[in-house]
Amino acid sequence: MRIARVAHPAGVAFVTVEGEGEDLVAREVADHPFGEPTFTGKSWPWADIRPLAPILPSKVICIGRNYADHAREMGVEPPAEPVMFLKPSTSVIGPGAEIKLPRDSNRVDFEGELAAVIGRPCRDVPAAQARSVVLGYTVGNDVTARDQQKSDGQWSRAKSHDTFCPLGPWIDTSVDPADLAISTTLDGDTKQSSRTSFMMNDVYQLIEWASRVMTLLPGDVLLTGTPEGVGPMVAGQTVEVTVEGIGTLSNPATPR
Ligand code: MG
């Protein structure tokens, strides 16, 4: 099942996404998308809605340097344990929305990532049971002001600007995260191309790690790290992140 959040002619709703290709239909879900959905009976052709971020998380937990080749391209050895940081809920935007490049940064990078969406409140989840706390998976872009990340000595400012967490286009509840192709293009040129099987800590290990620190709430998002090939984008360019079995997240970069 694919779950999206959309603006439709009369408001905003969670929907399931039915069909394939050009013939997608958004079918309105009553209330929230956790658990077995109930439907209102309303539906719209995909062309008549605008997709929004598929979830509004209370927090976005991010893992840095989870692909060895990306750690090396940043000039550091792969860490012995996951490196965890947060992005604020206010950084989240949806598919097609503009990534606003801050005036006080000279280098803003894309980082294509697999994003896990939590499905129920949980804490201290063993990796062996982590699958049961996941609602599904979407595509994320951990946009980073690389110059601020280097100059500040910690990552909060660099990772937290408004619009720095594109998510979408929807949450797929059935995909297996173990070995999915993940790629990023900039204006159509491939910049990142890897597989989720190259993660040093897999999604379930990361959930164990994160839930040892903080309670995870329904809708919280875990960004699982980016593979090698990160690089800068400038105003006027469009970045697209694709994860096999989920879809493509496309966002243009514009000046703030
Ligand atoms: Mg990242």
Side-chain angles (χ1 to χ4, degrees):
M1 184 170 64
R2 291 172 296 184
I3 298 165
R5 211 176 121 260
V6 304
H8 59 74
V12 170
F14 287 104
V15 297
T16 60
V17 183
E18 322 274 342
E20 293 298 331
E22 302 290 297
D23 299 319
L24 294 180
V25 171
R27 191 174 170 211
E28 189 179 41
V29 172
D31 303 324
H32 61 73
F34 303 100
E36 199 58 39
T38 54
F39 295 96
T40 64
K42 294 182 195 157
S43 63
W44 302 272
W46 197 249
D48 291 356
I49 59 86
R50 182 166 57 87
L52 305 171
I55 201 76
L56 295 176
S58 81
K59 54 187 171 290
V60 179
I61 303 167
C62 308
I63 304 298
R65 300 168 182 166
N66 195 32
Y67 291 77
D69 286 346
H70 169 62
R72 291 193 192 97
E73 79 177 346
M74 302 309 289
V76 295
E77 280 303 304
E81 293 185 319
V83 176
M84 191 166 68
F85 60 95
L86 296 169
K87 289 168 98 80
S89 58
T90 42
S91 65
V92 172
I93 58 172
E98 295 173 345
I99 298 168
K100 301 278 193 182
L101 305 174
R103 280 188 292 270
D104 55 359
S105 171
N106 293 315
R107 176 164 169 159
V108 176
D109 282 11
F110 52 83
E111 293 189 358
E113 308 200 5
L114 173 70
V117 181
I118 298 299
R120 61 181 176 83
C122 57
R123 185 178 163 82
D124 291 327
V125 182
Q129 282 151 41
R131 186 175 175 182
S132 70
V133 306
V134 175
L135 173 66
Y137 297 88
T138 188
V139 183
N141 188 346
D142 174 20
V143 180
T144 304
R146 195 69 73 199
D147 49 352
Q148 295 178 355
Q149 185 185 27
K150 293 202 167 99
S151 67
D152 287 6
Q154 49 81 28
W155 303 359
S156 294
R157 181 170 68 133
K159 297 283 192 178
S160 296
H161 291 272
D162 285 358
T163 76
F164 270 26
C165 189
L167 295 173
W170 43 60
I171 299 162
D172 191 293
T173 62
S174 57
V175 72
D176 180 345
D179 184 28
L180 302 172
I182 178 167
S183 62
T184 305
T185 65
L186 189 65
D187 283 349
D189 295 335
T190 299
K191 299 292 186 181
Q192 297 186 281
S193 181
S194 187
R195 302 194 70 84
T196 59
S197 49
F198 289 119
M199 288 182 192
M200 290 184 288
N201 297 278
D202 69 21
V203 173
Y204 302 144
Q205 291 169 316
L206 295 175
I207 288 171
E208 176 176 315
W209 181 255
S211 71
R212 199 182 297 167
V213 177
M214 60 187 95
T215 300
L216 308 182
L217 298 177
D220 281 354
V221 169
L222 176 71
L223 289 181
T224 56
T226 198
E228 70 278 14
V230 300
M233 54 193 164
V234 299
Q237 293 186 305
T238 294
V239 59
E240 292 196 335
V241 185
T242 300
V243 178
E244 178 184 11
I246 303 175
T248 296
L249 172 64
S250 177
N251 297 92
T254 67
R256 180 172 295 286

